Amino acid sequence: MMMSEKLFRRILLANDDGIEAPGIQILERVAEHFADEVWVVAPATDKSGVSNSVSLREPVRVEARGTRKFAVHGTPADCVAVAVRHLMKHSPPDVLLSGINNGSNIGFETVLSGTVGAAITGVLLGIPSIALSQDRRPEDKPDWRTAEQHGLPVLQTLFNAGLPAECCLNVNFPNLAAGPVKGIKIARQGIGKVNGITVTPTTDPHGENYFWLRVEHGNTDLPEHSEVSAVAEGYISVTPLTWERTSMDIWSTLSSQLKSAD
């Protein structure tokens, strides 16, 4: 039996923009260079902003959309769980790729992101995982050229380096034409570009109130080694992320204060 010349036997794709989103179609074409089988298990509709929430109190429905392609009526984390623990349980994926997201996942955005949530869920289930996002201005349509041209070499570089087991890698492509990209920069998360969340009230035709919630972006500092700084300078940022959110400075301060109060 001939051995495959590709790096992996199976790669799983997920996202939060939905199974028909252009970003996951780009990622599928890239993933085919690395794996014998590419599985797509993604939300049936856009599930942006749901982080890594899991549908614990409602059923999750799955529908086949083609060979090794499934639409899940649930969250991105549901998609990964269903894929790894059901659809592919007898032969789990070697790698999970989540995205490519329409818009950056930088700083606080990573806390909200279903794209990153899927990757974090992959790590939880023992699958090396990478989240990928294409930066853009909120008022502009996405320009996928950077992700299309650099997606394959970036993944090749990360695969060659070896994927960590204890965290996912968060990749952000800068909002540039493909040519000017300066390279890859390993970055820290930082605060990013989020200023807050806006709530806009409105009324439906029946006179009932409802609300639109939106993430509010604004100008931000560009601290050294941060994702936002790297992407603004024309680099592809790569950030190792995990579920650890402890502020070690405050932990140390509180520990000292409470110890002295005994």
Side-chain angles (χ1 to χ4, degrees), residues 12 14 41 75-85 96 117-119 121-122 125 127:
L12 170 63
V41 185
T75 69
D78 292 339
C79 295
V80 176
V82 167
V84 175
R85 293 296 169 86
L96 164 66
T121 304
L125 298 180
I127 309 299

Side-chain angles (χ1 to χ4, degrees), residues 227-243:
E227 298 161 319
V228 66
S229 176
V231 170
E233 293 171 2
Y235 289 92
I236 298 167
S237 69
V238 177
T239 311
L241 296 178
T242 185
W243 39 75

Side-chain angles (χ1 to χ4, degrees), residues 158-240:
L158 296 178
F159 292 153
N160 289 345
L163 298 184
E166 67 276 12
C167 66
C168 74
L169 299 180
N170 183 37
V171 176
N172 281 275
F173 297 100
N175 186 22
L176 299 169
V181 170
K182 295 180 180 178
I184 299 173
K185 182 171 284 190
I186 307 303
R188 299 182 62 175
Q189 180 176 306
I191 184 60
K193 302 179 291 185
V194 174
N195 284 347
I197 299 174
T198 62
V199 179
T200 304
T202 188
T203 305
D204 68 20
H206 302 286
E208 299 290 337
N209 293 328
Y210 68 98
F211 305 88
W212 287 107
L213 276 65
R214 292 287 183 270
V215 173
E216 184 179 23
H217 293 88
N219 295 326
T220 182
D221 293 333
L222 300 177
E224 188 178 9
H225 305 304
S226 71
E227 298 161 319
V228 66
S229 176
V231 170
E233 293 171 2
Y235 289 92
I236 298 167
S237 69
V238 177
T239 311

